Amino acid sequence: MVVDQDQQWLLGCLSASLDPNQNVRSFAETSLNQASLQPGFGSALCRVAANKDLSLGLRQLAAVLLKQFIKKHWRENEEAFEYPVVSNEEKALIRGQLLGSLDDSHRKICTAISMDISSIATYDWPEEWPELVPFLLRLISDPNNINGVHGALRCLALLSGELDDKEVPTLVPVLFPCLHEVVSSPQSYDKYIRGKALSIVYSCISVLGAMSGVYKTETTTLVMPVLKVWMNQFSLILEHPVQHEDPDDWSLRMEVLKCLNQFVQNFPVLIESELMAIMRPLWHTFESSLQVYLRSSIEGAEDSYDGRYDSDGEEKSLDTFVIQLFEFLSTIVSSRRLAKTISGNVSELVYQTIGFLQITEQQVHTWSMDVNQFVADEDEGSYSCRISGILLLEEVINTFGSEGINAVVDATGKRFQESQNEKAAGSPAWWRVREAALFTLASLADQLVEAEDLTTDPALAKFVEQLIMEDTGIGYHECPFLYARIFTAVAKFSSVINPGNLEHFLNAAVRAINMDVPPPVKVGACRALLQLLPDMNHSAILPQIMNLFSSLTDLLHQASDETLVLVLETLQQAIKAGHDASGSIESIISPVILNLWVAHVSDPFMSIDIIDVLEAIKNSPGCFHPLTSRILPFIGPILNKPHQQPEGLASGSLDLLTMLLKGAPSDIVTTAYDFCFAAVIRIILHSEDHSELQNATECLAAFVSSGRQELLTWSGDPAFTMRSLLDATSRLLNPDLECSGSLFAGKYILQLILHLPSEMAPHVRDLVAALVRRLQSAEMSALRGSLLLIFARLVHMSFPNVDQFINLLVSIPADGHENSFTYVMTEWTKQQGEIQSAYQIKVTTSALALLLSTRHSEFAKVNVPGSPIQSNGGIITRSKARSAPDQWTIIPLPMKILALLADTLIEIQEQVLNSEDEQDSEWEEIHEGDAKAAKDLLPSAGALQFSKPTYDQLEAMARFENQGDEVDDHLLGTDPLNEINLASYVADFLLKFSSEDRALFDNLCQGLTNAQRNVIHMALNR
């Protein structure tokens, strides 16, 4: 390719931008940025990327810069747009040059070009680039141009992520035959290319699946003709054994499994008849993949390609494939319609799965070198082949019940016997499969214990004890990971293990922490103690407690990161369990913990864990005063000069002070006031650090909650103290203060109006005006909710003169609205559904009822958003997301409040009814008796006939609602509104409101949904 002078300059700049000399590099980058503003720059980059005579590095760089250029200059009004915009002539030239380069032999260049095309397609396709897909289809259909096929597939794979419900239906009939030709021609195309074709099938099926809820008939018409042909092709791919050290084979099968997963999830009825035919090939893949996994990952004898990626950035490890295999099997098992396809092979499925759960050679190496990684990988939030396998076994138990449980117990028994045989034969790896069996039982312990009646049938308990006790004689150093798992299993099954054995393991765990043993063993010992200490008899703990304190304190010096968190949690439980003994060693433990806190104060998560330990010390008999005398002289100077402290120290000190104030006797609160109160006020008034502001606000709230009326007298000048509190309020409600700084203002103000009501009464008008201004500038939902809570609490405090509070709101102006009442009620009714905590829901919901009960004349003047206006459905792509925001219906304020009250009862109803279906419910479990009592509590939402619920049934609903009523914050415990029985409160209000003005009530009900009217009818007919 001929290189002109301009191209030569561009190549020079590109080369210089890779120069190790920063000055040379910076000058080149500046020159390129200036050149990007000139016409023809984009097409010049295209020519460099397409020039096969140039180095791969320069071509890649040109393609990457072109993508950035497209993002900045292709389309006006985009978020990243910068002038000038590319001319239409140059756009056409670039599009043509890119399409002509798609058949490049270098995969990395091909990927980069594809990304450029995809970036342009986001703006231009299909309206301004209709020839794109026909060109790609022609390229795919040419078996003589393998590079072109790859380029077109890579491009379509990127495009498929942006396809929506308009494009896919027209694309599938022409695209799928081309893709099928590629996938079904192993003699012409390698596994990598065939896998790319399947990735496009997956994207299209995903879109069709998302459409199926709205366009069921249309999607069924599209899927039916292609389903069988693809299922046949999937069977052909899966029936062959999984290949050793062949990541392209694993990737191809993974794409098959992803496609199958979409079919199963979105079209279960259509695929049901086809699924049985694919189960045999799927089982071949499952069994043969275990053999490959054993050799590659567990034994480490072959390459598992762990942590490596292909040229397109896709992970190609064996683990990734196995996780996808487990995910698909879990999808089948979790569907009661489809689970019958494996109902005859449940035991074998469980047995084979446990084989995958063995610790790999890489894990042994990594965990031995880095115990923090061991702790991190064991956490429930992590994700791996082992975790994915456990999720599959959980689904087996959920779906197959006792059959699944028996399968798990039988399979772990077989694996245990295999390990016995391997041990007898002298195999050094005998412990792996035994650890996997214990890992399985421990991970499923909650389900196993819950499902088995261990009092009448103790077989499971005996079986677990046999497995655990079998290896107690082995040395810690011989099999550290097995011993760690034994400790974990003891913790998980502590409720069913013989007390004598529990005491044995408690002592063993204490000894392990104090001994020179491998770190994983200490981790297992800590996990065991975390579970055992809270429930063990004090007589078993006390002889060990001093030794345990000493060992854990020593371990703190050795631990870091994840292990430090685990040791802190264990120490916290030890302090709580030792209770009486903790006081004697406060002087030893507290300085160590405080030094640790200083070292980690800039880490908010670690700091919280450390403060939890200090709180446990504080709550131990005889420790509160000595700990306070240790902390206050230390943090007082820090808070008085916050700007001179290391990062996070002042903010952390405020957290520490708040912990001390929680539940503190009056003499400690007074002492803390003398040391720190003025400093806390100054921080709120002057700090620009949001973390300091948040923590100082919480601290000040704790001062007010703990000190109450007496707080005003401690300075000797009550008026000055009150003025200080009001100044802090004014700063926190300043509309110019960033939302993060005001985040806990609501919590603080709530304490003021709860505990200093007479002092706050003269300032209510100013407070309300400030609240309105802050609310109008608040962008954070949490802040808006907390401010609305204050309005709600003020409504309650104005009772029985709620109409006077409404008049107050009407008299206060609000920018952009007729008055503050109109504005506040608009925001409140819009935000009410987003409020989460039980306390806030009680206060705001009951306040809305009080407001409505006034039937104030102002209500008739206010209309508020009702419900969202539904769009036409379909997939929301980036282009659709640029359209106008959601629109709402507009309804009268009284109707909206009545709807919100009905929604409250409906939500409680749904919690009760959903509690019976644990698989579909995300609500907290309730006791079986309560669930039974609540079963027929309310009629279904669409019922036409009403049965009259009894008063006992309403009480059952209230009882369920109160289960989530734990006080969200210690500061709120004294608020009498926290004792409201919300279900009864709303029902009583509805009864009274309807009887006082039936005509108004009936009129408002006409604008409600059927579900809302039904639940109101139930409440009125108690």
Side-chain angles (χ1 to χ4, degrees):
M1 182 180 290
V2 177
V3 178
D4 59 24
Q5 186 174 356
D6 289 341
Q7 282 285 98
Q8 196 62 52
W9 178 88
L10 178 58
L11 291 173
C13 281
L14 292 172
S15 298
S17 69
L18 300 173
D19 196 286
N21 185 304
Q22 185 177 356
N23 292 331
V24 174
R25 195 167 61 248
S26 297
F27 182 78
E29 290 170 354
T30 301
S31 299
L32 287 170
N33 284 334
Q34 292 174 349
S36 69
L37 306 178
Q38 303 303 315
F41 181 74
S43 57
L45 288 175
C46 264
R47 290 195 296 275
V48 173
N51 192 338
K52 298 179 181 180
D53 297 329
L54 298 176
S55 68
L56 182 62
L58 283 181
R59 297 178 66 197
Q60 276 188 283
L61 177 58
V64 170
L65 290 177
L66 179 59
K67 183 181 177 184
Q68 297 173 3
F69 174 81
I70 292 167
K71 185 176 182 180
K72 290 181 179 180
H73 301 290
W74 202 266
R75 177 67 61 86
E76 291 186 77
N77 300 322
E78 292 295 318
E79 184 178 353
F81 176 75
E82 295 178 8
Y83 282 99
V85 66
V86 183
S87 67
N88 290 333
E89 295 76 13
E90 187 175 0
K91 285 182 179 180
L93 184 61
I94 291 173
R95 289 193 294 254
Q97 288 174 326
L98 288 174
L99 291 180
S101 304
L102 261 182
D103 62 350
D104 199 279
S105 59
H106 286 287
R107 282 188 173 177
K108 289 185 177 180
I109 294 296
C110 184
T111 297
I113 295 292
S114 297
M115 294 177 74
D116 291 336
I117 293 174
S118 177
S119 296
I120 295 174
T122 302
Y123 306 116
D124 291 1
W125 182 75
E127 290 83 0
E128 298 171 38
W129 202 2
E131 69 272 18
L132 173 60
V133 170
F135 177 87
L136 295 177
L137 293 179
R138 288 196 301 273
L139 210 53
I140 291 174
S141 303
D142 184 2
N144 297 318
N145 185 359
I146 297 298
N147 291 331
V149 173
H150 169 257
L153 289 173
R154 183 70 187 111
C155 192
L156 277 171
L158 290 169
L159 283 175
S160 62
E162 289 298 317
L163 296 176
D164 64 17
D165 52 324
K166 290 184 179 179
E167 294 135 6
V168 167
T170 58
L171 197 56
V172 164
V174 294
L175 177 60
F176 271 28
C178 298
L179 297 176
H180 185 268
E181 180 63 28
V182 173
V183 176
S184 62
S185 303
Q187 70 282 1
S188 301
Y189 304 105
D190 60 25
K191 294 172 183 175
Y192 174 84
I193 289 180
R194 293 163 68 207
K196 287 300 170 192
L198 283 174
S199 71
I200 301 168
V201 175
Y202 164 77
S203 295
C204 292
I205 296 300
S206 300
V207 174
L208 290 175
M211 292 171 56
S212 61
V214 180
Y215 306 111
K216 184 176 181 179
T217 303
E218 293 84 349
T219 53
T220 299
T221 303
L222 284 168
V223 170
M224 277 291 288
V226 304
L227 181 60
K228 191 172 186 63
V229 69
W230 280 114
M231 293 298 284
N232 290 339
Q233 191 57 48
F234 296 158
S235 295
L236 291 172
I237 294 172
L238 295 177
E239 70 178 1
H240 298 291
V242 175
Q243 299 299 298
H244 294 257
E245 299 186 296
D246 188 351
D248 286 342
D249 178 67
W250 309 336
S251 297
L252 177 64
R253 293 171 192 266
M254 187 166 69
E255 294 298 337
V256 168
L257 295 170
K258 287 167 64 177
C259 291
L260 283 169
N261 216 21
Q262 285 300 315
F263 278 123
V264 168
Q265 288 178 341
N266 297 309
F267 305 100
V269 177
L270 296 182
I271 203 173
E272 184 177 5
S273 60
E274 302 289 341
L275 192 59
M276 186 59 74
I278 207 169
M279 291 311 295
R280 184 181 60 82
L282 177 65
W283 192 255
H284 288 168
T285 286
F286 185 56
E287 287 188 314
S288 59
S289 64
L290 176 56
Q291 300 310 310
V292 175
Y293 193 76
L294 287 171
R295 289 285 294 159
S296 300
S297 297
I298 296 173
E299 298 173 8
E302 297 175 354
D303 194 347
S304 65
Y305 287 80
D306 185 46
R308 276 176 276 180
Y309 300 82
D310 63 22
S311 59
D312 299 328
E314 302 289 340
E315 191 171 0
K316 58 181 183 180
S317 70
L318 182 58
D319 255 34
T320 307
F321 160 60
V322 172
I323 289 172
Q324 185 61 56
L325 181 57
F326 281 147
E327 183 178 334
F328 177 56
L329 288 169
S330 296
T331 302
I332 295 177
V333 171
S334 63
S335 168
R336 298 192 182 279
R337 175 189 294 274
L338 304 176
K340 60 188 177 183
T341 58
I342 61 168
S343 58
N345 296 290
V346 174
S347 295
E348 188 64 20
L349 173 65
V350 173
Y351 173 79
Q352 297 283 357
T353 299
I354 294 175
F356 283 101
L357 305 188
Q358 298 175 70
I359 294 178
T360 67
E361 187 63 24
Q362 180 62 46
Q363 286 170 332
V364 170
H365 174 75
T366 301
W367 293 346
S368 299
M369 299 293 292
D370 184 2
V371 69
N372 286 307
Q373 193 62 49
F374 175 61
V375 176
D377 289 344
E378 289 281 291
D379 282 347
E380 294 180 357
S382 65
Y383 202 62
S384 65
C385 182
R386 277 161 66 94
I387 301 298
S388 186
I390 290 297
L391 294 177
L392 170 58
L393 296 180
E394 287 179 353
E395 290 295 347
V396 168
I397 293 177
N398 289 338
T399 298
F400 295 102
S402 58
E403 182 186 356
I405 291 173
N406 292 335
V408 169
V409 174
D410 291 345
T412 51
K414 288 180 183 178
R415 291 295 188 182
F416 175 74
Q417 189 58 50
E418 289 173 10
S419 70
Q420 290 284 67
N421 297 338
E422 290 183 19
K423 185 178 181 181
S427 169
W430 67 270
W431 61 271
R432 289 183 191 266
V433 71
R434 186 170 300 186
E435 190 277 340
L438 283 172
F439 174 68
T440 300
L441 290 172
S443 301
L444 302 173
D446 291 343
Q447 288 173 288
L448 294 174
V449 171
E450 182 181 343
E452 294 289 301
D453 185 356
L454 299 170
T455 56
T456 59
D457 182 13
L460 176 60
K462 290 181 178 179
F463 173 66
V464 171
E465 286 198 18
Q466 178 191 356
L467 264 63
I468 290 172
M469 299 302 295
E470 178 69 27
D471 297 308
T472 53
I474 65 172
Y476 291 125
H477 293 272
E478 183 181 346
C479 302
F481 294 106
L482 176 58
Y483 224 109
R485 185 61 55 206
I486 291 172
F487 276 133
T488 305
V490 169
K492 291 288 189 178
F493 285 100
S494 60
S495 63
V496 300
I497 292 178
N498 180 283
N501 289 335
L502 283 183
E503 188 170 340
H504 165 80
F505 279 105
L506 175 71
N507 295 333
V510 174
R511 288 196 305 273
I513 288 176
N514 194 36
M515 294 171 61
D516 180 19
V517 299
V521 177
K522 291 181 184 280
V523 168
C526 284
R527 292 193 186 282
L529 289 170
L530 273 174
Q531 186 70 38
L532 296 178
L533 286 172
D535 301 320
M536 288 292 288
N537 192 298
H538 280 284
S539 62
I541 296 173
L542 288 179
Q544 301 283 347
I545 199 67
M546 300 304 290
N547 185 32
L548 181 58
F549 283 149
S550 176
S551 300
L552 287 171
T553 305
D554 290 341
L555 199 56
L556 287 173
H557 298 297
Q558 307 167 28
S560 63
D561 301 331
E562 280 80 4
T563 52
L564 181 56
V565 172
L566 179 61
V567 175
L568 286 168
E569 291 173 347
T570 309
L571 181 58
Q572 182 184 349
Q573 289 302 326
I575 292 168
K576 291 179 178 178
H579 204 56
D580 297 331
S582 302
S584 61
I585 61 164
E586 184 277 331
S587 60
I588 300 173
I589 296 181
S590 295
V592 175
I593 302 300
L594 283 170
N595 287 334
L596 195 66
W597 172 78
V598 171
H600 294 275
V601 71
S602 60
D603 181 341
F605 298 105
M606 187 72 73
S607 180
I608 288 172
D609 289 326
I610 296 171
I611 289 177
D612 286 343
V613 175
L614 290 170
E615 187 167 18
I617 296 174
K618 179 195 79 172
N619 293 333
S620 298
C623 292
F624 210 141
H625 284 81
L627 182 65
T628 301
S629 64
R630 196 180 305 280
I631 291 176
L632 287 181
F634 175 71
I635 65 174
I638 294 173
L639 297 180
N640 275 299
K641 296 181 179 179
H643 298 298
Q644 300 177 14
Q645 309 305 323
E647 181 183 359
L649 188 56
S651 177
S653 297
L654 290 163
D655 263 343
L656 201 54
L657 178 57
T658 303
M659 180 273 293
L660 282 180
L661 291 170
K662 189 190 306 182
S666 59
D667 61 323
I668 286 181
V669 179
T670 305
T671 305
Y673 178 94
D674 293 338
F675 269 94
C676 306
F677 179 80
V680 173
I681 292 288
R682 284 196 298 272
I683 289 173
I684 291 179
L685 293 180
H686 302 296
S687 178
E688 298 297 332
D689 184 295
H690 293 174
S691 179
E692 287 182 10
L693 276 170
Q694 290 175 11
N695 292 356
T697 305
E698 287 195 294
C699 188
L700 196 55
F703 265 120
V704 176
S705 176
S706 301
R708 306 192 181 186
Q709 292 282 344
E710 292 182 10
L711 176 76
L712 300 178
T713 66
W714 290 338
S715 69
D717 186 350
F720 174 78
T721 303
M722 191 65 209
R723 173 48 55 194
S724 297
L725 295 173
L726 291 173
D727 287 345
T729 304
S730 179
R731 172 82 199 285
L732 293 171
L733 294 181
N734 186 337
D736 296 328
L737 183 64
E738 288 192 31
C739 291
S740 180
S742 298
L743 187 59
F744 297 129
K747 180 182 291 188
Y748 163 59
I749 296 169
L750 184 61
Q751 298 309 306
L752 287 179
I753 62 178
L754 283 176
H755 300 300
L756 303 174
S758 58
E759 288 79 5
M760 289 297 295
H763 307 286
V764 166
R765 181 179 181 86
D766 291 338
L767 174 63
V768 169
L771 285 168
V772 170
R773 290 192 296 270
R774 175 74 275 196
L775 185 62
Q776 286 193 299
S777 66
E779 297 176 352
M780 296 175 64
S781 176
L783 176 57
R784 290 198 299 270
S786 68
L787 296 178
L788 289 170
L789 176 67
I790 304 302
F791 284 109
R793 199 62 188 78
L794 289 172
V795 168
H796 280 282
M797 296 182 76
S798 68
F799 183 81
N801 301 310
V802 179
D803 55 341
Q804 294 181 11
F805 183 71
I806 296 175
N807 292 336
L808 173 65
L809 284 172
V810 171
S811 69
I812 295 174
D815 289 345
H817 295 81
E818 187 172 342
N819 53 57
S820 288
F821 178 73
T822 301
Y823 169 68
V824 170
M825 295 314 300
T826 301
E827 286 298 314
W828 187 345
T829 53
K830 188 189 300 183
Q831 183 85 10
Q832 183 67 27
E834 304 299 319
I835 293 174
Q836 297 295 324
S837 82
Y839 172 79
Q840 289 186 344
I841 291 172
K842 287 180 180 181
V843 175
T844 54
T845 303
S846 54
L848 286 173
L850 284 176
L851 288 168
L852 184 57
S853 68
T854 66
R855 297 191 291 281
H856 195 286
S857 59
E858 198 69 22
F859 274 88
K861 305 176 184 177
V862 181
N863 292 315
V864 297
S867 56
I869 298 175
Q870 297 297 322
S871 64
N872 294 327
I875 313 300
I876 303 300
T877 60
R878 281 188 292 185
S879 58
K880 285 189 177 181
R882 301 187 191 108
S883 60
D886 293 337
Q887 295 182 330
W888 292 67
T889 61
I890 301 298
I891 62 175
L893 175 59
M895 185 180 294
K896 177 66 175 182
I897 293 178
L898 189 61
L900 289 171
L901 297 176
D903 287 342
T904 299
L905 294 180
I906 291 173
E907 185 173 343
I908 298 171
Q909 172 194 29
E910 290 174 349
Q911 293 179 41
V912 174
L913 300 179
N914 287 347
S915 68
E916 295 192 317
D917 187 357
E918 293 182 356
Q919 289 183 331
D920 296 329
S921 176
E922 296 181 358
W923 298 98
E924 293 183 348
E925 294 180 2
I926 63 174
H927 294 298
E928 184 177 343
D930 287 343
K932 185 176 181 181
K935 180 177 181 180
D936 297 319
L937 197 53
L938 302 173
S940 65
L944 297 178
Q945 300 295 325
F946 295 97
S947 59
K948 184 175 180 180
T950 65
Y951 182 74
D952 289 340
Q953 287 175 319
L954 190 69
E955 283 300 298
M957 182 169 80
R959 198 161 58 244
F960 177 84
E961 181 264 328
N962 282 334
Q963 287 187 2
D965 234 13
E966 295 182 8
V967 181
D968 301 287
D969 192 294
H970 72 282
L971 301 176
L972 307 177
T974 57
D975 190 347
L977 294 185
N978 206 44
E979 303 303 317
I980 284 179
N981 183 314
L982 191 55
S984 295
Y985 185 99
V986 173
D988 289 342
F989 164 78
L990 292 172
L991 189 62
K992 183 179 179 182
F993 186 71
S994 63
S995 63
E996 290 178 347
D997 193 338
R998 189 70 192 197
L1000 171 63
F1001 182 78
D1002 290 342
N1003 181 56
L1004 295 179
C1005 285
Q1006 291 179 9
L1008 305 185
T1009 65
N1010 286 336
Q1012 290 166 341
R1013 286 196 294 268
N1014 287 354
V1015 79
I1016 288 175
H1017 193 283
M1018 179 279 299
L1020 296 180
N1021 290 274
R1022 285 189 284 172

